[in-house]
């Protein structure tokens, strides 16, 4: 009887402490010693929009002093994005300073995070399996964005029971290989084998795990610039320039220089007719 009562108390505590969201999008403030669980259903996965860890207010999550100028962990967004993006389920909390660093020692910090559920997925393919490869397809006018890719072995139970090399093993080129095959494409095919990724642990059966989302295809901008003329490439608020193609010369009697670029986040690029440079 006592064991059941203890189990009931533990379950009640867990339900109180954990905030669980199965919405398609949301914003949440998470105070000290609390947790948050993102969850997407169907063919949708998590995409983190923004993430703050630190303290900029003396009223959020209790009355606490603020250091001059506030404090925040600059790596928080990258850490949580790599942990959660492309997954159906993700858990975060405010406890471990080792995850985000401690931007203001001795002060109570909080998390403010925004996210949404988007088309995408996470999938694992075993080496030497009947399936043997991963096929990714995005619907409509969307293209693939790869968030993470792993090829090697870190688990002894995935893809059958196997010994794991000390420290695990992984292909250093796994992410760049999958990005080059799939990034910006509407569909792609990725075999899970040593020919594609190299062999990070000879004689050990490996597996490939890839996380991706489908994002709206961006319409490229084109700018023609004559010699000895300076052109400025700019994007609307919330986007920045990424040059995807630049030529200098003459392909017809009228045009000298052509630049094709996409807008991806806030910034500007300057392109010169006798070359080009850009701010990232």
């Amino acid at each position: 009887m006592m064991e059941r009562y203890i189990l009931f108390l533990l379950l009640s505590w867990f339900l109180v402490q954990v905030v669980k969201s199965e919405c398609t999008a949301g914003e949440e403030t998470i105070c000290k010693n609390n947790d948050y669980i993102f969850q997407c259903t169907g063919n949708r996965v998590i995409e983190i929009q923004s993430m703050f860890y630190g303290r900029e207010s003396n009223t959020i999550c209790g009355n606490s002093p603020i250091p001059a100028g506030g404090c925040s962990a600059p790596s928080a967004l990258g850490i949580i994005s790599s942990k959660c993006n492309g997954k159906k389920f993700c858990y975060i909390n405010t406890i471990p300073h080792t995850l985000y660093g401690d931007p203001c020692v001795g002060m109570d910090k909080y998390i403010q995070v925004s996210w949404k559920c988007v088309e995408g997925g996470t999938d694992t393919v075993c080496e030497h399996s009947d399936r043997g490869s991963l096929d990714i397809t995005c619907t409509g006018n969307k293209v693939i964005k790869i968030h993470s890719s792993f090829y090697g072995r870190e688990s002894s139970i995935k893809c059958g029971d196997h010994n794991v090399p000390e420290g695990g093993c992984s292909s250093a080129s796994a992410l760049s290989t999958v990005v080059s095959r799939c990034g910006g494409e509407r569909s792609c095919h990725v075999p899970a084998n040593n020919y594609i990724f190299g062999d990070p642990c000879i004689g050990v059966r490996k597996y490939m795990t890839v996380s991706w989302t489908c994002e709206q295809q961006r319409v490229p901008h084109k700018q023609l610039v004559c010699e000895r003329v300076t052109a400025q490439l700019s994007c609307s608020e919330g986007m920045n320039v990424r040059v995807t193609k630049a030529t200098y010369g003459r392909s017809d009697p009228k045009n000298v220089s052509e630049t094709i670029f996409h807008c991806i986040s806030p910034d500007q690029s300057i392109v010169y007719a006798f070359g080009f440079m850009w701010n990232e």
Side-chain angles (χ1 to χ4, degrees):
M1 188 70 178
M2 181 59 71
E3 291 179 353
R4 291 184 179 180
Y5 179 68
I6 293 173
L7 181 61
F8 172 77
L9 289 178
L10 289 173
L11 180 59
S12 300
W13 178 87
F14 180 79
L15 291 174
V16 170
Q17 295 298 314
V18 174
V19 182
K20 184 175 182 178
S21 176
E22 295 183 359
C23 302
T24 57
E27 297 180 0
E28 192 67 32
T29 296
I30 310 165
C31 299
K32 180 182 178 181
N33 297 331
N34 284 333
D35 309 317
Y36 193 71
I37 295 177
F38 307 94
Q39 185 169 328
C40 296
T41 58
N43 68 336
R44 295 186 173 273
V45 294
I46 300 161
E47 184 175 79
I48 301 296
Q49 303 298 297
S50 65
M51 169 73 179
F52 169 86
Y53 176 69
R55 178 164 286 278
E56 292 182 333
S57 167
N58 62 357
T59 58
I60 295 176
C61 295
N63 193 348
S64 180
I66 311 173
C71 69
S72 63
S75 61
L77 176 60
I79 290 171
I80 294 302
S81 295
S82 63
K83 181 180 180 182
C84 298
N85 282 353
K87 298 179 180 177
K88 289 185 173 293
F89 178 93
C90 189
Y91 164 88
I92 65 173
N93 62 59
T94 57
I95 299 173
H97 295 154
T98 54
L99 183 60
Y100 314 111
D102 193 343
C104 38
V105 178
M107 295 186 178
D108 289 344
K109 292 161 281 291
Y110 55 84
I111 287 174
Q112 289 182 317
V113 59
S114 64
W115 60 277
K116 63 181 179 180
C117 291
V118 298
E119 182 183 351
T122 295
D123 205 353
T124 296
V125 179
C126 305
E127 184 189 21
H128 305 314
S129 64
D130 292 338
R131 183 182 172 196
S133 60
L134 174 65
D135 291 292
I136 303 174
T137 301
C138 290
T139 60
N141 196 36
K142 296 177 182 177
V143 294
I144 301 164
K145 180 179 180 180
I146 301 297
H147 292 285
S148 64
S149 177
F150 171 87
Y151 179 75
R153 178 166 287 277
E154 293 181 333
S155 167
S156 61
I157 58 175
K158 280 187 179 180
C159 298
D161 292 332
H162 289 273
N163 293 328
V164 181
E166 184 176 354
C169 70
S170 62
S171 168
S173 64
L175 179 59
S176 60
T177 297
V178 177
V179 168
S180 66
R181 282 176 166 261
C182 301
E185 302 291 336
R186 293 188 180 180
S187 63
C188 67
H189 175 81
V190 187
N193 59 45
N194 297 331
Y195 179 77
I196 299 297
F197 296 102
D199 193 344
C201 40
I202 298 172
V204 176
R205 190 186 187 192
K206 292 159 283 289
Y207 54 86
M208 173 182 70
T209 300
V210 178
S211 295
W212 73 93
T213 56
C214 296
E215 61 178 12
Q216 202 65 35
Q217 188 174 26
R218 300 181 179 93
V219 178
H221 303 264
K222 182 183 288 188
Q223 176 98 26
L224 296 175
V225 187
C226 295
E227 191 174 11
R228 288 185 284 276
V229 174
T230 300
Q232 179 171 293
L233 308 183
S234 62
C235 293
S236 59
E237 184 178 356
M239 308 293 279
N240 77 338
V241 170
R242 181 173 65 186
V243 175
T244 55
K245 179 183 178 182
T247 61
Y248 176 70
R250 184 175 292 277
S251 58
D252 63 60
K254 296 182 178 180
N255 299 332
V256 174
S257 177
E258 177 182 82
T259 302
I260 299 175
F261 66 97
H262 291 76
C263 292
I264 55 174
S265 71
D267 210 340
Q268 286 190 328
S269 270
I270 306 298
V271 174
Y272 296 95
F274 41 87
F276 68 88
M277 66 179 183
W278 65 95
N279 301 320
E280 294 183 347

